Amino acid sequence: MKKMPHIARNPAEAREFLSLHVRTRSSVGLVPTMGFLHEGHLSLVRRAKEENDICVVSIFVNPLQFAPAEDLAAYPRDMERDLELLSAEDVHLVYSPSPGAMYLPDRSTLITENSLSRCLCGAARPGHFDGVCTVVLKLFSVIAPDRAYFGEKDYQQLQVIKRMARDLDLPVEITGCPIIRERDGLALSSRNIYLGEKERAEALVLSRSLDAAEELVRGGETDVTRILDVVRDVISACPSVALEYAEIRGADDLAPLDIMNKRAVCALAARVGRARLIDNRVLERRD
Ligand code: PAF
């Protein structure tokens, strides 16, 4: 039987564990999560385990990245199950501070990335990436990881965090890991739990629209407007899926594109019932 991971509830406990277990030459891999773990998270954990001596998973539903009208209170949580899953993966440390241990009531510092975070989800959720950057920097500060692992499903988040780490000279390697999908194409997300059976079936138009975009690009289409028209058509076939945005931007700088003249990402956000879902596909021309 695998051992339960050690649980640290505040920065001092996490630092104490790490000071006892991290030897001079050992490396630390961090997987930041908001819990309610699924195979997508576990794929990050497995990669972190493979590439590092010590594997730390943080579980913290970060209030700072939710707007007042968003789903902070309803966000799914199941600590017991998360710990079972992490003990099966032989994770060394779970860092799960309470909101009070993470944020002092008179805190007055916020980390803002001012370019990549402005479009896509950043435009739809003002302040969201300030919350993400602030909590991720705090996690880096406590855990001091050599490597940190993020899913490519949150494509914009990954780019924003890479930029923050670069701009602030953070001594951590940021690794993006592939989106994990159900067999029928639905990207794994903790928020899929909000979907009823019918909504779950309807949500498949998102990955299907990305398949269509990929096929067009493979077939030589370079006109971004034409590709997006097809993406929107596929999604609009299911009127209960309310598209928030469908955009094609540069894969690294997230700059708007008219022509597919470089590696690009097609990114989507849509409401399906109570769930706000995101998905994306990196698009590369064949030539
Ligand atoms: O992707 C997430 O689950 C969160 O945004 C993160 C990176 C753990 C920060 O709260």
Side-chain angles (χ1 to χ4, degrees):
M1 222 183 69
K2 304 264 179 165
K3 217 168 89 214
M4 264 300 190
H6 184 84
I7 303 173
R9 299 284 182 192
N10 56 50
E13 286 179 13
R15 286 192 170 115
E16 189 189 349
F17 176 91
L18 291 166
S19 73
L20 293 174
H21 292 85
V22 178
R23 290 172 220 287
T24 329
R25 296 248 183 100
S26 48
S27 58
V28 177
L30 170 66
V31 180
T33 81
M34 297 206 298
F36 209 67
L37 305 177
H38 50 66
E39 273 302 312
H41 297 112
L42 298 181
S43 71
L44 308 181
V45 170
R46 287 171 197 142
R47 177 90 182 261
K49 286 267 312 176
E50 252 167 55
E51 295 182 355
N52 300 278
D53 303 307
I54 302 279
C55 175
V56 182
V57 176
S58 65
I59 298 181
F60 179 66
V61 183
N62 175 31
L64 223 55
Q65 67 190 72
F66 289 78
E70 290 181 350
D71 59 340
L72 173 63
Y75 195 84
R77 294 160 168 90
D78 191 343
M79 191 54 144
E80 207 176 310
R81 187 173 155 276
D82 288 348
L83 290 175
E84 271 167 28
L85 290 170
L86 295 177
S87 94
E89 298 298 332
D90 238 344
V91 163
H92 301 96
L93 173 66
V94 172
Y95 179 43
S96 184
S98 63
M102 180 62 89
Y103 297 120
L104 295 174
D106 64 345
R107 70 186 165 75
S108 52
T109 304
L110 205 59
I111 305 299
T112 301
E113 189 288 324
N114 261 318
S115 172
L116 306 178
S117 69
R118 293 298 182 220
C119 57
L120 303 173
C121 286
R125 304 179 70 188
H128 169 69
F129 286 113
D130 293 351
V132 170
C133 286
T134 303
V135 81
V136 169
L137 186 63
K138 282 171 72 71
L139 293 171
F140 287 174
S141 158
V142 171
I143 306 300
D146 297 278
R147 298 181 191 85
Y149 298 82
F150 297 87
E152 285 169 358
K153 188 178 78 70
D154 295 284
Y155 190 86
Q156 184 180 17
Q157 168 173 281
L158 173 63
Q159 303 312 316
V160 168
I161 290 168
K162 279 185 177 165
R163 177 64 65 89
M164 171 181 80
R166 185 203 74 176
D167 287 354
L168 301 183
D169 302 313
L170 302 179
V172 54
E173 191 180 306
I174 308 296
T175 301
C177 301
I179 300 177
I180 305 293
R181 296 180 183 277
E182 305 273 13
R183 290 168 78 98
D184 58 10
L186 185 69
L188 295 194
S189 161
S190 303
R191 287 187 169 101
N192 290 350
I193 189 86
Y194 298 146
L195 299 171
E197 204 179 316
K198 189 161 163 275
E199 290 164 343
R200 193 199 168 290
E202 290 165 346
L204 294 179
V205 288
L206 298 180
S207 58
R208 285 194 195 128
S209 74
L210 295 170
D211 294 342
E214 191 170 31
E215 212 168 295
L216 281 173
V217 173
R218 287 215 178 123
E221 182 59 82
T222 56
D223 185 320
V224 165
T225 306
R226 279 209 287 266
I227 301 167
L228 286 176
D229 282 347
V230 171
V231 166
R232 291 190 185 109
D233 277 355
V234 174
I235 296 173
S236 64
C238 206
S240 49
V241 174
L243 185 64
E244 197 176 89
Y245 66 73
E247 294 191 37
I248 293 181
R249 290 177 170 260
D252 300 317
D253 56 8
L254 301 186
L257 284 184
D258 294 325
I259 292 289
M260 290 283 304
N261 53 7
K262 58 179 177 183
R263 217 166 70 92
V265 61
C266 181
L268 310 172
R271 297 217 171 250
V272 189
R274 266 189 336 120
R276 181 182 184 275
L277 302 180
I278 56 173
D279 202 348
N280 70 77
R281 184 81 44 89
V282 172
L283 303 173
E284 288 185 83
R285 284 175 52 186
R286 274 245 182 93
D287 49 20

